[in-house]
Amino acid sequence: MPRLVRSFVSFTMFCTTLVAAVGCADPPAARDAGADAGVVTPQTGPPATAMGDALAAAGLDPAALPPLGALDERARAAVMDTFTRALGVGCGDCHEADYAVATPRTRIAAKMWERLVRGLARRDGGALYCDSCHAGQVTFLDRTDPRRDGALGRWMQASYVTPLERRDGAPHDCATCHGSPFVGGFLDDWGAPDDAPDGGDGGDGGDGGDGGDAPADLGAPPDLGPIGCEALLVCLDACPAGDGSCTGVCRRRASAAAKALLAAADKCASDACIAVKRCRSASDDSAACNACFSNASAGGTTGVACVPPDDPICGACAAEWLACETS
């Protein structure tokens, strides 16, 4: 099957370095009506924490927080209280009855503490904390805006990359969270046990810590799960040619529906090009076959021009590829 690199694919999480087509500059609306997530804007990024006094009362400096495992009982209780207020949850939303048992959400919280809360800061020096982004909600990104417009991808770049920096001095970019190669659903990896296969190298972002006696793990928010077809396509396109390990990670992270959509789009383009004798087989990687495959996957409602524009194969599988890119 020809390797397809589609410059118009836009996974709407962080990176405009991986997103070529971005259009809408407005930040997406909060998922829950009336929520305060709009406090994060492309002009300012996440605001400095409003929980500085609560942390200070527990002897903690929000600009120099220790690892979770280093917190004493008093400080840990205060931190857990700020978690419930910052995310609008109760203890049981994240913990099992036995608080020593790690859950996906407590693992995610531990990694967010290390990589984001301890690992990042506003470029103007302001301290970040859970409330800076969550503003009373577990989930706060609206992913329903059209992917092709790139609204969320552009907003994330402007809000969470440009205004922030890593405290360890390393460059801050999408890979701080999403890893390299880019993994859209990185929180699935963060919520997995430490011995589970990793979806990418997310960079240091701090030492990570093991959480000590604190539960190393928050249960995954309901919108977290296997990545969709568009994210799968972006992940595959980010892999170096011939890197089976990389593409394997992408496919393992994809939902069955995503893999089915991508397979249908691939088969449509391959079959169309084989039928007109421009590809010898589904594994043909010649320049002529690749050109046919790309044009069969473009045109129509994809908004992507065929080269040349009058190629008879243009748009033959546009519907199949659009179904993938919008899922």
Side-chain angles (χ1 to χ4, degrees), residues 6-23:
R6 299 170 68 87
S7 63
F8 58 91
V9 173
S10 60
F11 181 72
T12 53
M13 280 294 291
F14 256 64
C15 270
T16 52
T17 56
L18 291 180
V19 178
V22 290

Side-chain angles (χ1 to χ4, degrees), residues 235-260:
C235 186
L236 291 171
D237 283 349
C239 290
D243 189 339
S245 176
C246 176
T247 59
V249 168
C250 295
R251 294 185 184 281
R252 285 195 300 274
R253 292 196 47 73
S255 67
K259 287 183 279 193

Side-chain angles (χ1 to χ4, degrees), residues 165-203:
E165 61 186 2
R166 284 174 55 152
R167 292 186 183 276
D168 63 4
H172 171 50
D173 55 22
C174 310
T176 299
C177 295
H178 286 281
S180 180
F182 183 91
V183 175
F186 68 92
L187 288 179
D188 292 334
D189 291 333
W190 287 15
D194 289 341
D195 58 354
D198 191 30
D201 177 8

Side-chain angles (χ1 to χ4, degrees), residues 113-197:
W113 178 274
E114 296 300 332
R115 293 194 178 185
L116 307 184
V117 173
R118 296 187 67 226
L120 297 176
R122 287 173 53 92
R123 291 190 185 276
D124 63 9
L128 296 178
Y129 198 65
C130 312
D131 61 313
S132 298
C133 297
H134 284 280
Q137 301 177 93
V138 174
T139 58
F140 56 92
L141 296 180
D142 181 359
R143 299 180 177 88
T144 62
D145 62 316
R147 302 280 177 96
R148 183 184 306 284
D149 290 345
L152 184 53
R154 182 167 182 164
W155 182 71
M156 294 295 277
Q157 172 74 26
S159 300
Y160 291 107
V161 176
T162 303
L164 306 181
E165 61 186 2
R166 284 174 55 152
R167 292 186 183 276
D168 63 4
H172 171 50
D173 55 22
C174 310
T176 299
C177 295
H178 286 281
S180 180
F182 183 91
V183 175
F186 68 92
L187 288 179
D188 292 334
D189 291 333
W190 287 15
D194 289 341
D195 58 354

